[in-house]
Amino acid sequence: MRWFGPADPVPLAHLRQAGASAVFTSLHDIPYGEAWPRTAVRERRELVEAAGLRWTAVESIPVHEDLKTGRGDLAGLLENYASSLRAVAAEGIRTVVYNFMPVLDWVRTDMAFMLPDGSRSMRFDPVHFAAFDLHALQRPGAEYDHPPEIREQAAAWWGTLDEPARQRFIASIIDVFPGVKWGLTLDDIRTMLARYEGIGESQLLAHLERFLDYILPVAEEVGVKLAIHPDDPPFPVLGLPRIVSTEAQLASILDLADSPSHGLCFCTGSLGARPDNDLPAMVARFADRLHALHLRSTTLEADGSFHEAGHLDGTTDLLAVLLSYQKSRTSPDSVPWRPDHGLVIMDDLDKPEGITPGYSAIGRLKGLAEIRGMLRAMP
Ligand code: DNO
């Protein structure tokens, strides 16, 4: 299970009671780009172990924006990242998840989407996202990125929101970085977007390659496996380049380096939000290069919207993915996995402020139980 550290409203004891044996966690209090001191990693590891759990994967050591845009003190940032890898390896943690998504870590347009049974989920609606882009952010050139009928619906929907509703909507899009609240404003986002001026997909891929060229030898030396997380959602947003969304892109990324430390975090929820991603086929193709698994399902709707579904429901057939993975894998190494996200259900529905978006207690417990059941029953 993912754990956000001592400030997480779901304590380690509850994760253990839910059936977890290990956690994915990070030192969320350390600013992006700084080196992680080994003592801080050790203290966090001891906290996890004192609760009867293991810390098997770091999620994430975030990649500083300057490394993605290729501006600033790159040498210093690369050395800090390498030093963090050495610190986690010295404490026995062998898997590190990271992502290379420009500006935003993940995007939804509704954090409390009600399903027919009264559960709450998170949804992405292209009309609402266009309203954000065109009317809240007012990004120059945004009009070229949304078809006319979507622009029309976006304007109409934006007109129905009063000012407080607009502010709540904006905050839910721009301030959902894992484990931190930065209080970002639209102007901050505009500044961050401006840094990507002139950076297309090939440039971003070249920046990823530069990062890997420096980091992979260190990872190999200390025995850490890196796992790049896919884009969420897996298509371009806000005019930004996206390089980790499709099967072809995952293959190109793996082709950047032939290293045992270079692999993927196979997130079925993120990848599953694109109808042309055939997940059982992709998991088979990349089986031995998967260093971490995030397991969840998404329901795709006809108009391009999607929402997060129960782990056994939705458009993604998780059992088919797991069976295909099992059949295709040859590596004997164990791979850390976790149920990704969970719906808000039952008692959690009454604590709206106490839930980290996506990381409810009871909904994830249900997902974990379903996945453990599948694994136990698999041949
Ligand atoms: C969302 C998560 C992501 C993920 C990072 C990995 O719930 O899956 O925030 O942790 O993108 O770097």
Side-chain angles (χ1 to χ4, degrees):
M1 288 273 222
R2 187 176 201 173
W3 182 58
F4 287 103
D8 193 323
V10 185
L12 287 168
H14 289 192
L15 300 182
R16 189 174 174 198
Q17 289 159 22
S21 54
V23 294
F24 287 51
T25 192
S26 177
L27 301 183
H28 293 288
D29 37 324
I30 300 186
Y32 287 19
E34 284 185 16
W36 288 17
R38 179 166 174 193
T39 46
V41 180
R42 182 184 305 135
E43 276 166 28
R44 190 59 57 87
R45 177 181 60 70
E46 286 171 354
L47 211 56
V48 170
E49 289 174 0
L53 294 159
R54 289 172 300 123
W55 181 3
T56 45
V58 177
E59 179 168 352
S60 309
I61 302 181
V63 177
H64 192 275
E65 282 288 295
D66 285 354
L67 288 171
K68 299 177 202 165
T69 60
R71 305 198 170 100
D73 172 21
L74 303 184
L77 288 170
L78 288 169
E79 193 37 44
N80 284 355
Y81 204 96
S83 150
S84 302
L85 282 190
R86 290 193 188 97
V88 302
E91 290 302 318
I93 306 151
R94 301 277 169 225
T95 306
V96 171
V97 178
Y98 70 104
N99 76 70
F100 224 72
M101 279 179 258
V103 183
L104 298 172
D105 186 291
W106 55 299
V107 185
R108 298 290 181 274
T109 56
D110 186 352
M111 304 304 247
F113 176 63
M114 185 82 79
L115 296 176
D117 65 358
S119 326
R120 276 204 315 264
S121 170
M122 297 190 296
R123 183 164 189 265
F124 179 90
D125 180 327
V127 170
H128 296 186
F129 191 68
F132 170 76
D133 200 3
L134 293 158
H135 303 291
L137 193 61
Q138 300 177 3
R139 179 174 63 88
E143 58 277 21
Y144 304 112
D145 288 347
H146 307 280
E149 67 279 12
I150 299 270
R151 294 205 301 266
E152 241 167 69
Q153 292 172 50
W157 180 74
W158 186 248
T160 66
L161 300 184
D162 61 15
E163 197 45 36
R166 288 180 178 176
Q167 292 311 321
R168 276 196 306 276
F169 169 68
I170 292 168
S172 75
I173 292 192
I174 65 178
D175 211 3
V176 291
F177 291 85
V180 281
K181 268 271 170 246
W182 284 323
L184 294 178
T185 64
L186 285 172
D187 275 336
D188 295 327
I189 297 292
R190 291 182 186 113
T191 307
M192 290 163 90
L193 287 174
R195 298 199 190 110
Y196 284 85
E197 196 94 19
I199 299 180
E201 280 185 19
S202 56
Q203 191 81 42
L204 187 63
L205 192 67
H207 294 169
L208 174 61
E209 188 170 18
R210 172 167 56 198
F211 170 75
L212 292 171
D213 281 349
Y214 190 90
I215 293 302
L216 285 174
V218 179
E220 282 176 38
E221 179 196 316
V222 298
V224 161
K225 287 176 185 260
L226 290 171
I228 189 168
H229 188 281
D231 304 320
D232 185 357
F235 44 78
V237 290
L238 304 179
L240 293 164
R242 291 289 224 192
I243 55 171
V244 202
S245 296
T246 65
E247 178 171 349
Q249 289 180 328
L250 296 183
S252 307
I253 285 176
L254 291 175
D255 282 347
L256 291 177
D258 182 17
S259 157
S261 288
H262 178 39
L264 309 173
C265 171
F266 198 79
C267 177
T268 56
S270 307
L271 294 168
R274 256 188 102 98
D276 57 347
N277 276 342
D278 177 345
L279 299 194
M282 288 164 76
V283 86
R285 173 166 178 194
F286 303 124
D288 284 332
R289 303 291 299 271
L290 305 188
H291 292 171
L293 306 179
H294 283 177
L295 302 172
R296 74 178 154 91
S297 182
T298 310
T299 298
L300 303 182
E301 298 164 37
D303 66 352
S305 301
F306 65 83
H307 64 263
E308 302 192 8
H311 291 72
L312 288 181
D313 306 319
T315 315
T316 305
D317 183 345
L318 262 196
L319 180 59
V321 171
L322 290 173
L323 287 167
S324 170
Y325 183 46
Q326 184 192 43
K327 215 166 90 198
S328 317
R329 234 177 133 238
T330 61
S331 161
D333 299 346
S334 66
V335 170
W337 63 272
R338 63 176 181 82
D340 195 25
H341 298 186
L343 301 178
V344 180
I345 59 173
M346 303 164 77
D347 289 12
D348 279 349
L349 287 164
D350 300 326
K351 28 179 156 146
E353 301 306 326
I355 291 186
T356 312
Y359 294 90
S360 60
I362 308 173
R364 279 191 300 154
L365 173 156
K366 182 174 173 226
L368 177 63
E370 289 170 339
I371 297 165
R372 289 177 77 212
M374 284 193 277
L375 293 176
R376 197 63 73 84
M378 268 164 55

